[in-house]
Amino acid sequence: MNIETKFLGEVEIQETEILTFENGLPGFPNNKKYILLGLDADLPIALLQSTEEASLGFVVAYPFAFKKDYAFDLSEEDKTELKLVDEKDVAVYTVLTLKENFPESTMNLLAPIILNTKEKLGKQIVLQDSGQYPLRHQVGVAEGSVK
């Protein structure tokens, strides 16, 4: 199927790749279906695009590429909601706020987006220890490995 996107115009997607966010994203509770569109296999950046509203899309990043010590625990409630059984099915992204000079861009480490890649479920969580990670962490230069 084809969808209109915020950043790429019309793109063809597979319906089997659509992610469901049961509660939407904070600020967008009515949009529950998204797709992750990779930009380049060598970049730790992708687009999280609503399949329901073309104007709703986010640039997201694989945070571990920029902050190698980024770590947190998921609550049992989050694991249950995301139907997570195996750690290998988890993917983590953070929303980027792009600046003209990319290293000055920021990522939201406080509220990562958690995906269950097997069940195609997603949720943006707010980390309980809110003092540990900032809402706006300057991207700087990639320091971690991309996997």
Side-chain angles (χ1 to χ4, degrees):
M1 74 187 266
N2 290 347
I3 64 167
E4 283 295 322
T5 68
K6 181 176 180 178
F7 300 106
L8 302 174
E10 185 176 301
V11 298
E12 182 177 352
I13 65 168
Q14 300 298 315
E15 287 188 51
T16 56
E17 296 300 315
I18 293 176
L19 303 160
T20 299
F21 288 70
E22 292 293 338
N23 299 313
L25 291 170
F28 307 97
N30 297 324
N31 297 88
K32 300 178 188 294
K33 302 290 184 183
Y34 290 85
I35 188 139
L36 192 64
L37 300 169
L39 296 175
D40 184 312
D42 294 332
L43 289 177
I45 296 172
L47 301 174
L48 185 65
Q49 173 66 50
S50 168
T51 62
E52 302 162 316
E53 186 175 329
S55 64
L56 186 58
F58 305 91
V59 178
V60 295
Y62 181 72
F64 311 104
F66 300 97
K67 183 154 180 56
K68 63 183 176 186
D69 62 345
Y70 186 55
F72 56 87
D73 292 320
L74 286 175
S75 71
E76 289 304 317
E77 180 183 340
D78 290 331
K79 290 178 187 175
T80 299
E81 190 173 324
L82 289 166
K83 299 180 182 174
L84 284 170
V85 177
D86 193 330
E87 191 175 303
K88 72 177 175 49
D89 299 327
V90 177
V92 177
Y93 289 90
T94 56
V95 175
L96 282 180
T97 300
L98 295 174
K99 305 288 184 188
E100 193 168 317
N101 183 2
F102 183 77
E104 295 174 2
S105 301
T106 59
M107 62 174 45
N108 180 351
L109 294 179
L110 180 61
I113 295 170
I114 313 301
L115 303 178
N116 179 336
T117 58
K118 182 178 179 185
E119 298 294 330
K120 305 297 181 202
L121 295 172
K123 181 178 183 182
Q124 187 172 21
I125 64 169
V126 177
L127 298 177
Q128 298 301 314
D129 185 6
S130 60
Q132 186 175 3
Y133 294 113
L135 184 64
R136 293 181 185 89
H137 172 79
Q138 191 167 339
V139 170
V141 178
E143 62 182 38
S145 63
V146 178
K147 294 183 179 179

